[in-house]
Structure formats: structure tokens, C-alpha cells
Amino acid sequence: MKRTLLVCAVFSVSLCDGLAAANVQQTSHKAACAIKVTDYGASGDDRNLDSEPIQRAIDDCARLGGGEVRFPRGVYRVGTLHLRSNVSVVLEEGSVLRGSEDLDDYLEPLTRNGVDKSHFVSGTGSRRLFLYGDHVENVSIRGKGTIDGNQVREKSGTRGPLTILIQHSSNVVLDGITVTRSPGWSVTFFDCQHVRVLGVKLKDVMADGINPVSCQDVLYDGVVIDGTGDDPICIKNEGPPLRGGYVTRDVTIRNTVVRNTSHPGFKIGTGTNGTFDRVVVEDSTFERVGDLFAIQLMRPSQTGEAERFIRNIWMRRVRASNTKRFLDITAIGVGQPVISGVHFEDVQIDGRVVGSRILGTNASPIEDITIRNVVAVANESSESWLQTRNVGRLTLDHVTIDVPGTKTILAADTGRGLKLDSIRVRGLLPDGPALHLADVQDAEIGTITTPHLKNLVWVAGARAAKIRLKQADWSQVENPLLAADDVAEQALLPAANAKVLSLSAPARIKPNEALQVNAQVQNAGPAGVTPLTLFAGDRVAGRKWIWIGTAGKKTVTITGNPFYVPGSYALNLGGFVRKLRVMRTPAHFQYGTFCEMDTPAAPGATTKVVVPVRNIGGTTGKHVVELKVSGKPFVSKEVTLGPGEETRVSLEHVFQSGGPHSLQAGDFPEWRFATFRNVPGRFLLYRDRFVIEAGGRPGERNDYGAIYFKDVTADFDAKVRVISQSEHTGSSAAVGLILRNRIDDVRSGGFVLHYRVPRYGGYKIWEGDSDGDGRLDVRGDGGDVALPVWYKIEKRGRTVRTFSSGDGQNWRLCPSYGVRELVSSSLASAQDVGVYGTAWNDRGEISRMEYSDFEVTPVAAASPAGR
């Protein structure tokens, strides 16, 4: 060993000073020192702990000015190793750095209460470090050897040490190594500049792959990431406050392969402070991943930048197979981010490509999105191939889409500056439309080729304007451009010069009867679109947009709005006038689409049911609205309504015994649930589903609204179908099943199984209270099955297991981090069991959650407790 040190000392005079100034952006550099860790006493026998001799070798090499610390063939079992400036760790072929199973062998930079935020570990879900470099420069890990994280987890089953963390550093190279079985994030660069990741292979990692966080000038080249439990490539801005601010800039990922993960192949977020600028993914392949590309924003827990910018993002010359979907870009719940300049060129996607989305907000529209030279082939159907909201300057050019069984390729809501051209589509449902545009302005639509389609473009919304079809020949579809009644005249182009030739209308109708008139129309000019507006006196009685060919004739049926007040009306369409008489009929009452339920379980609390009712007859009349309890009339209220008038009838009663009670109002289904909410919101009962609308305060996990059964004493199975949830509300939101000793006591022991959006892009998770303090301190992840989804909770004694299903028949256990169930002494013998919803946000927004088929079935009983 002394001989080795002497040799290094001789060389250090002439070479080590130069090494400190070397540019480690190169893949290798001439080493001043070449130390073998075995000369320092490292055994490499996979039994003895080699941390101490290896660390001495690294430290001595650094003191001598830098060079190489080499690992000959062998398995070196170690805990935390500190990387040093100007030192290259060289893993020779057959060498393995394997993490120790003893957690005490690792540096733990966080204090036990987690308040020390000086290290980025605090943002990763890990609390310990394996290979660690802090404020280093000109450092590399290279060679053909392996770094094995050994899947060493915390005793709780949560994530183990970060395998490689380099922070506040510059000129960093990872070259040729293999990283496997990481129990936390595999490779993390935090606040680093000039980073090169070259020919690195990641395999079978528990969490994230290779993440640059608040870094500049980063290159991935020739990287292979195979099998991650979380995001394989995820760039972020988060962690402790930085003197230079949160900035990620000039990140290039090329010649890279990512496969075998349910998470996005490439993602920006969820930690999204500050600025992301000039990010490129090119010449790469993605296989069996979730979304191909995602931007998921969230508000970090620590104070961040006042403004957020994500701009100049490119994905080009990319091939993807068996992806969940193409895009998931959202700007939800983080104030007013600016997302602009996101471009996709020369992308080919084969697989289950469904339901992509680009969702901005009214305050923060997403701007300048380009999808060019893209080929997408799907083997699953969806409502739309791409959904957008509040997106400006969206361009689709030379795009080929094969989407069997899908209704529309683009559903755009509230956007401006839409351009589509050279679009080829196969597989749409025959009625389409290919494009559904709601409140979109300034849209130019060029060539769209889609065989056997009846309707091409459908426009809706009073704010729609300047929607133009550019192509002259649309003979391949029956209706190239149509619109809803609320679209303003002159909003669509090209306009036809249509004249009404004749009008026929019924002489009389009953109140609430659909009015239909027939008109013959001729076009005196080129093919185009025109609205036919039917007037009754001075008011609009109906409108229908039609497409009519060059010099063409068409017979059109217009369905008008219902009439209620008896009398005589003059119908006018294009100058043709017809007399209509609305007959006098007896009053007839009809209930609305939903009623509101407020049914607290506490004795002495007020139960309130609000029922909408309307008189659809032609005479003023009276109607009694009843609230039945256990099938018998209990509370009633009489209303008097004129023809066409409607009102909301409030029925209230104070029950002296605790609920829930069997209630039925109007013609709505029976209601046997209690309700509780400590947030703004309401509970709605439809004829085929029920709805919770609820808000919540940021970070307050016990803010919610719930519909539940009180005091379920036996072991049980509880299940529900979650139909939908607002996509666009809150910094986070949750919908699912809840059980608690008392749902109206947020301090009591509890458990939830829920789907959460949009903070992490949507995912299933269960959370439980293990010690009875009312805080959800144990969790498991159920994956990312999209809504609608079935949930089920099995309670057996004090043990709870959770399941999810796509069809309500085939159930999948929802474990995570090695936790398959919750065993809690805090669960009482009697539980309140229900469904709940919440939205945590700082703008007072409300989340809407729809459910059906809620049942709680005692395991020994033959029939369910409720449905």
C-alpha cells in the first residue's frame, strides 16, 4: 500500500495540478493517480463491509490532486461513499458495488423529524445516501461494472437509500456503468452543471431512473432504462432554496431506450418551481411505458419561484410502442404557470394510444403546441384521441392516426389559433365528428382524409368564432362543417348563400311538445355552411346549421324550443311566415334531473332535501311534493306554477333519532345514506348515480364530503364504482371509499382508498391510520387505472385490504412498498363506511365526483346493506 502511495505522490507534482482544471465533459481524462481499492484493504468478497478502505482510497486520491480509483473484479459491499473532486471511480468489468443490508451503514442527512432541508434527499421519499457527491467538480463514475442498490428498504417498507446523488456540483460524468435494484431514485443530479450520462444502463429499479433537478447543460446519450417503479426520466425544479433560483436548462436526451414502466417515459414535474428551458428528447425509443410525454405540475412544499416557465421543449425522431397514451400536459393547481413552445416532430407510436390531453386553465392557457409528422396506431378506443382545453396556437400537420372505435380525434375546448392540415384518419366511428370544437376561435382546417365519415367538424359554444375550412372539395363526407344552435351567425366559413324556398310547420302543438318545421333550401353559390334561424315573433325559437353543396338543394328539419304558454305565434324562417297555435292543456308536473340531499346522522340535526319541479302543462296548477320516510309520506309542500315555470322545493325535518333514514322524494330512487361535509359543496341524487361536490383547503387531508352508512358492526366488503372526477380542479383532489370510526369526527381512526388528481397526474392509492390519531400515516399505491374504476375494501377484524377493478368482477389487490394490508388497533368494532370526495386548492374551486353501485355487504349476510 505504501508503494502505491509513493507512486501517486511522484506523479502528483506534474499531473495533478493539470487534472483539477481538466474538462470532465469528455468521456475520460488522463488519470494522475491510479489506485486500486484492493491495495487499501477492500476485500471484494461480498461478505465484509468495504466502505472504510474504499473511502480512504477516494480521499487519498483527492488529496494527491485527483485521478482514478479502480475496482478490480469482485463484489464490494458498502454503505455510503463520498465522491471527491477530480476523482474518477472506475468499475472494471466484473466489479460490483453492492449496498449493505444494514441501514446504519448509510449516511442519513435528514434529522429524525425531517426538518433538516440542507440536502435534496428531503424531496425524494428517501432519507439515506449510497454514492454521494456534494460541491464536487470533475468527478466521474465509469467502466463496465455494476452499482447494485440491493433493494435495501427502510424497515417500514418505504424507499431505501438514493443510489447516486450528486448535488451543487459541476463537470460530472457517468459512463458505461450499470445501475440495478435501486431502492430509491437511481441517479439524481441536484443543482449541477455540465453533466454527461453516457452509455449507462439502469435495470429493475424501485423508484425513479435518472433525474436532473435544477440542473443546466445535461446530456444523456446511449442510455438504457429497463424497468422502473416510478418515472424513468423526470426533470424537476424543487428541493431546498437555491441561490441561483430553480432553473433547468439545456437538457438533451438522445439515443436512449426506455422500457417496462407504467409511468411516463419522459416527464417534466411534478416538482415545477421556476424555469425549464431548452429541453430536447431525440433519436430515442420507448417500449411498454405509460404516457410517452408528460408535464405534471404541482406546488412544492417549500417556498418557490413566484413565476413558472416551461418552454422550448422538443421531442423528435422518437419511436414508441405499447404506450398508454401519447401526451399528458396539464397546468393545474400551481397558480399561473406559463407552458409554451412544446413541439413533437417525427414521432411514431404503436400500441394502446388513447385519451391524450393538453389542459391549460383560464388564467394560464398553454401556448404554441406543434404535432408534426406523427404516426399513431392504437389498439384501444376512447372518446377522443386528443383532448385540449385553454390551448392557443395548436398545430397538427402531416399526422396519421389509426384509432379503431374512437369517436373523435380532437376535442378542443376554449382555444385560439388552431391549425390542422394533411391529417389522415382511420377507425373513427361513422358518425364522428373527427373534430369537436367548443368555444374555439381562429381555427384553420386544411386537408383531413377520413373514409366513411358522416360528420367532419362540429362547433359549439357562443364564443366560437372564425372557424374556417380551407379545402375546396369535401365530397368524402356528408357534413364537413356543422354547429350547435348557440354558435353565433357568421362564425363559420366558408359561408353558403342559401335561400329558403318553402316552409311547412304544424298549425297547433301541445305545451312541451317538440316543434318541428321543414324547409327546402337552395344554395346560390359555392359549397359552404349557413345557419337557419327560426323566429317566433321577436324571439329565437330554434336554429340549425347546415352544410350545402354548390348550387345544391336540401330539405331541412329544424327542431324548435318547447312552447308552454297557450296562444297564437307567428313563425318566421327566411321570410316565410306560418301561424302556430299552442293549445291549452291541464297543468302537468315533472321533476328535474337531480335532487339535493343533506342527511346528517346526528340526532337533532336537520335533514334537507331540495327537489326541482316544473309545470310542463299549459295551465297554472298546484302540486304537492312529498318526502317519504320508509315508504310513507312524512313531509310535504304545495307549490303553484304557471305554464313552463319551475322551482326548487325544500323539504326539511329534524329527526330525533340518528340516521341514516330511508328517504324518497318525487320520482327519485330511495336514499339510505348519511351525509357529512366540512367543506363547501353539496350531495346530488340522480336516477342512475349520485354526486359529491366538495372543495377543501390546501394540505388539509381531513377536509371532505362523504355519503355513508352509519355504524357497520360486522366484517364487511364495501365497493363502489367511481365514474368520473373533475379533471380541472385544485392542486390536488381525491375520490373514493372511506371508512372511519366516525366519519363526522376527523380525529377518529380511519382509512381511505382513493383516486387522486391532478397533483401527480392521476393515480390510485390507499392510506390508513395505524395508531388512531386521525392522521393517515400508512399508504399503498394501487397503480394508475383510469376512471371509471371499481374500488373495494375488505375489512376483517382490524385488518383492511384494498382492491381495484375495471369491470367490477375481476379484482386486483392494491399493495405497495411491500405493504399488502393495514393492521390497525385504531379501528373500532363499529365503522362508518362510505364514499367521499375532496379538492385541496387555493382558489376556492369545487371538485365534482360521480359514483354508482355503492354497496356495503356483511361477509356473513346474503344481501347487501345498501346499493
Side-chain angles (χ1 to χ4, degrees), residues 222-241:
V223 172
V224 176
I225 302 177
D226 188 352
T228 61
D230 212 319
D231 302 317
I233 302 175
C234 186
I235 65 175
K236 300 171 179 275
N237 284 333
E238 62 179 340

Side-chain angles (χ1 to χ4, degrees), residues 279-294:
V279 178
V280 177
V281 181
E282 61 186 8
D283 302 306
S284 295
T285 301
F286 296 82
E287 303 171 358
R288 296 180 296 279
V289 300
D291 303 326
L292 173 59
F293 177 93

Side-chain angles (χ1 to χ4, degrees), residues 736-815:
L737 286 166
I738 182 171
L739 62 89
R740 207 158 202 156
N741 295 341
R742 284 185 55 188
I743 279 178
D744 59 0
D745 180 1
V746 298
R747 298 167 298 179
S748 66
F751 184 93
V752 297
L753 169 64
H754 55 209
Y755 187 93
R756 286 177 58 179
V757 299
R759 179 171 177 167
Y760 293 104
Y763 67 104
K764 297 198 312 298
I765 196 167
W766 60 261
E767 297 179 272
D769 171 21
S770 64
D771 55 13
D773 64 356
R775 301 180 62 182
L776 303 177
D777 50 20
V778 179
R779 66 171 53 189
D781 191 349
D784 60 349
V785 174
L787 298 177
V789 65
W790 289 82
Y791 288 153
K792 182 170 69 171
I793 292 178
E794 292 183 351
K795 178 180 177 290
R796 304 293 185 267
R798 302 190 187 279
T799 299
V800 175
R801 296 199 306 164
T802 65
F803 301 82
S804 66
S805 172
D807 57 11
Q809 301 295 324
N810 301 293
W811 296 94
R812 184 171 68 91
L813 184 66
C814 300

Side-chain angles (χ1 to χ4, degrees), residues 386-718:
L386 174 62
Q387 174 196 8
T388 69
R389 185 182 299 130
N390 292 299
V391 174
R393 293 180 291 134
L394 170 65
T395 298
L396 277 73
D397 183 28
H398 285 86
V399 177
T400 299
I401 305 170
D402 191 343
V403 283
T406 294
K407 184 175 182 180
T408 182
I409 59 169
L410 173 64
D413 185 358
T414 316
R416 181 187 295 272
L418 173 65
K419 293 184 178 181
L420 292 92
D421 203 1
S422 300
I423 311 296
R424 299 177 61 87
V425 185
R426 295 184 60 184
L428 286 182
L429 294 175
D431 286 342
L435 308 178
H436 190 290
L437 312 180
D439 286 319
V440 171
Q441 301 176 356
D442 299 316
E444 290 188 1
I445 302 168
T447 303
I448 300 179
T449 303
T450 175
H452 314 300
L453 190 67
K454 181 178 179 180
N455 302 300
L456 186 73
V457 181
W458 174 260
V459 180
R463 291 177 293 173
K466 298 181 181 179
I467 310 296
R468 176 188 294 271
L469 290 185
K470 295 172 60 178
Q471 181 176 318
D473 180 16
W474 293 100
S475 58
Q476 80 275 18
V477 292
E478 180 179 334
N479 297 306
L481 179 60
L482 291 178
D485 298 348
D486 58 349
V487 174
E489 295 192 26
Q490 302 178 342
L492 310 183
L493 296 171
N497 184 16
K499 305 295 183 182
V500 178
L501 303 180
S502 65
L503 173 66
S504 63
R508 62 178 63 185
I509 61 172
K510 297 177 181 179
N512 200 48
E513 182 180 347
L515 169 65
Q516 288 190 337
V517 302
N518 295 307
Q520 191 175 45
V521 181
Q522 184 171 27
N523 188 12
V529 65
T530 188
L532 299 177
T533 303
L534 177 69
F535 290 91
D538 293 333
R539 73 180 182 92
V540 174
R543 175 180 290 163
K544 184 172 185 177
W545 286 82
I546 65 167
W547 178 274
I548 189 166
T550 302
K553 280 187 178 181
K554 179 174 285 191
T555 299
V556 180
T557 298
I558 302 174
T559 301
N561 302 320
F563 289 77
Y564 294 102
V565 179
S568 181
Y569 298 85
L571 301 179
N572 186 326
L573 180 68
F576 286 83
V577 178
R578 298 289 182 267
K579 294 293 184 180
L580 172 70
R581 182 169 185 81
V582 178
M583 302 168 62
R584 182 178 298 276
T585 61
H588 182 68
F589 294 86
Q590 183 180 73
Y591 294 104
T593 56
F594 64 85
C595 61
E596 296 183 40
M597 312 296 295
D598 191 358
T599 55
T606 300
T607 289
K608 181 178 179 181
V609 179
V610 179
V611 184
V613 62
R614 184 175 195 170
N615 180 6
I616 60 174
T619 305
T620 298
K622 296 181 179 181
H623 181 70
V624 176
V625 181
E626 291 183 337
L627 175 64
K628 297 179 180 178
V629 178
S630 299
K632 298 179 180 180
F634 198 77
V635 179
S636 64
K637 186 174 291 187
E638 185 178 81
V639 295
T640 301
L641 297 176
E645 289 185 348
E646 59 182 329
T647 190
R648 289 157 48 87
V649 179
S650 179
L651 304 172
E652 299 183 6
H653 184 74
V654 177
F655 289 94
Q656 297 305 318
S657 60
H661 303 275
S662 175
L663 307 176
Q664 197 265 327
D667 61 355
F668 291 95
E670 185 182 41
W671 177 271
R672 292 192 287 167
F673 309 116
T675 62
F676 167 79
R677 63 179 175 87
N678 55 4
V679 294
R682 57 182 182 165
F683 307 99
L684 310 178
L685 173 63
Y686 290 72
R687 290 170 180 84
D688 63 344
R689 66 191 62 196
F690 54 90
V691 170
I692 297 176
E693 294 180 347
R697 297 167 293 175
E700 292 292 335
R701 308 294 294 280
N702 285 322
D703 283 1
Y704 56 78
I707 294 170
Y708 66 101
F709 290 106
K710 182 72 175 170
D711 294 333
V712 180
T713 56
D715 289 345
F716 60 82
D717 293 345

Side-chain angles (χ1 to χ4, degrees), residues 211-373:
N211 292 355
V213 184
S214 301
C215 293
Q216 301 85 47
D217 185 19
V218 178
L219 171 66
Y220 296 45
D221 199 342
V223 172
V224 176
I225 302 177
D226 188 352
T228 61
D230 212 319
D231 302 317
I233 302 175
C234 186
I235 65 175
K236 300 171 179 275
N237 284 333
E238 62 179 340
L242 302 172
R243 286 177 296 180
Y246 296 97
V247 178
T248 292
R249 180 179 288 125
D250 296 317
V251 177
T252 300
I253 296 156
R254 66 164 67 111
N255 303 319
T256 288
V257 176
V258 176
R259 53 183 175 239
N260 295 325
T261 180
S262 62
H263 292 263
F266 175 79
K267 188 172 85 173
I268 297 175
T270 48
T272 47
N273 262 320
T275 298
F276 298 80
D277 195 8
R278 299 194 297 269
V279 178
V280 177
V281 181
E282 61 186 8
D283 302 306
S284 295
T285 301
F286 296 82
E287 303 171 358
R288 296 180 296 279
V289 300
D291 303 326
L292 173 59
F293 177 93
I295 298 178
Q296 296 173 358
L297 282 71
M298 76 174 220
R299 186 178 303 281
S301 57
Q302 68 282 339
T303 302
E305 303 289 340
E307 296 180 317
R308 299 159 191 258
F309 295 93
I310 300 178
R311 57 197 177 196
N312 301 318
I313 313 297
W314 291 86
M315 177 173 276
R316 57 200 180 199
R317 300 185 302 278
V318 166
R319 300 294 178 265
S321 62
N322 198 22
T323 61
K324 174 185 174 183
R325 58 185 170 186
F326 181 14
L327 306 174
D328 183 20
I329 302 175
T330 59
I332 303 174
V334 291
Q336 296 187 15
V338 176
I339 300 177
S340 65
V342 184
H343 309 289
F344 304 89
E345 292 190 354
D346 300 311
V347 177
Q348 181 172 323
I349 312 169
D350 296 308
R352 48 189 185 91
V353 186
V354 295
S356 292
R357 61 181 189 169
I358 306 173
L359 304 181
T361 67
N362 290 330
S364 305
I366 297 173
E367 300 282 345
D368 189 17
I369 306 294
T370 302
I371 300 174
R372 179 176 285 117
N373 295 331

